[in-house]
């Protein structure tokens, strides 16, 4: 049982179709079958970490026995889009939100987290008007210089 599953719980919950964590396979030893120490205790420990996520993760736990060895699978469901991002409460939303890249859990950027909030609150920053802004103040690059020159010249 890993001491920390929070990053993986967050990243699986934040991706399409969730993910599955399989216990009883030794990743360091060419994915050899290794058995779990106690399937019931392992399920309790996984669930304890799931309860520390926001929103709470509700895994589907399956115990399988093959050749006198026990294996546990924890299926982590995808969170509904309006509940994204799922994060570890102990680190907060900005530091406890993760996304899955290949086989690693990577911290979400502030922009990724903001994108979920914007979706949830229906922000539309790209079409929002700014009433006091002049055309020359919002333009960039060479276009900005030309517009600024023309605005001053027309006065």
């Amino acid at each position: 049982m890993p001491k920390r599953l929070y990053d993986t719980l967050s990243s699986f919950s934040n991706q399409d179709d969730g993910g599955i964590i399989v216990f009883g396979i030794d990743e360091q030893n060419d994915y050899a079958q290794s058995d779990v120490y106690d399937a019931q205790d392992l399920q309790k420990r996984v669930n304890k970490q799931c309860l520390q996520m926001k929103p709470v993760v509700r895994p589907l736990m399956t115990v399988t026995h093959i050749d006198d060895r026990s294996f546990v699978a924890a299926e982590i469901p995808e969170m509904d889009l309006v509940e994204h991002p799922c994060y570890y409460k102990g680190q907060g939303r900005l530091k406890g939100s993760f996304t899955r890249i290949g086989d690693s859990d990577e911290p979400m950027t502030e922009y990724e987290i903001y994108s979920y909030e914007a979706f949830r609150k229906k922000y539309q920053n790209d079409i929002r008007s700014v009433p006091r802004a002049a055309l020359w103040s919002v333009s960039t690059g060479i276009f900005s210089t030309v517009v600024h020159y023309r605005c001053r010249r027309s006065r």
Side-chain angles (χ1 to χ4, degrees):
M1 170 70 190
K3 292 179 183 174
R4 286 183 43 95
L5 287 175
Y6 306 117
D7 302 355
T8 303
L9 294 172
S10 173
S11 65
F12 281 178
S13 296
N14 290 325
Q15 75 174 6
D16 294 343
D17 301 326
I20 301 173
I21 305 170
V22 179
F23 299 94
I25 295 176
D26 188 356
E27 192 174 349
Q28 312 300 341
N29 193 16
D30 201 29
Y31 298 94
Q33 297 178 0
S34 64
D35 198 10
V36 296
Y37 64 95
D38 179 355
Q40 297 295 30
D41 184 56
L42 182 109
Q43 290 178 80
K44 288 178 186 175
R45 288 180 180 220
V46 170
N47 191 52
K48 185 177 180 181
Q49 290 192 36
C50 289
L51 293 172
Q52 296 178 45
M53 304 299 291
K54 185 169 184 174
V56 171
V57 173
R58 298 290 185 194
L60 173 62
M61 305 289 248
T62 306
V63 178
T64 303
H65 303 282
I66 302 171
D67 299 331
D68 295 329
R69 292 187 175 131
S70 298
F71 301 91
V72 176
E75 295 180 51
I76 310 302
E78 172 195 4
M79 288 290 164
D80 191 62
L81 194 56
V82 297
E83 294 180 320
H84 280 127
C86 176
Y87 62 91
Y88 170 50
K89 290 189 277 189
Q91 288 185 302
R93 188 171 49 103
L94 289 176
K95 292 187 179 181
S97 299
F98 288 81
T99 188
R100 193 76 175 174
I101 308 293
D103 66 347
S104 69
D105 304 311
E106 300 295 328
M108 281 189 170
T109 64
E110 287 185 42
Y111 178 75
E112 288 171 316
I113 295 168
Y114 172 78
S115 295
Y116 287 123
E117 184 176 326
F119 173 79
R120 187 171 43 256
K121 294 183 178 180
K122 297 180 175 49
Y123 292 159
Q124 295 181 317
N125 290 332
D126 54 337
I127 62 171
R128 186 176 66 179
S129 65
V130 182
R132 296 180 300 166
L135 181 60
W136 63 268
S137 68
V138 295
S139 302
T140 59
I142 188 72
F143 179 71
S144 172
T145 306
V146 171
V147 170
H148 180 69
Y149 174 76
R150 285 185 179 164
C151 286
R152 297 186 106 210
R153 191 169 175 212
S154 66
R155 288 184 195 160

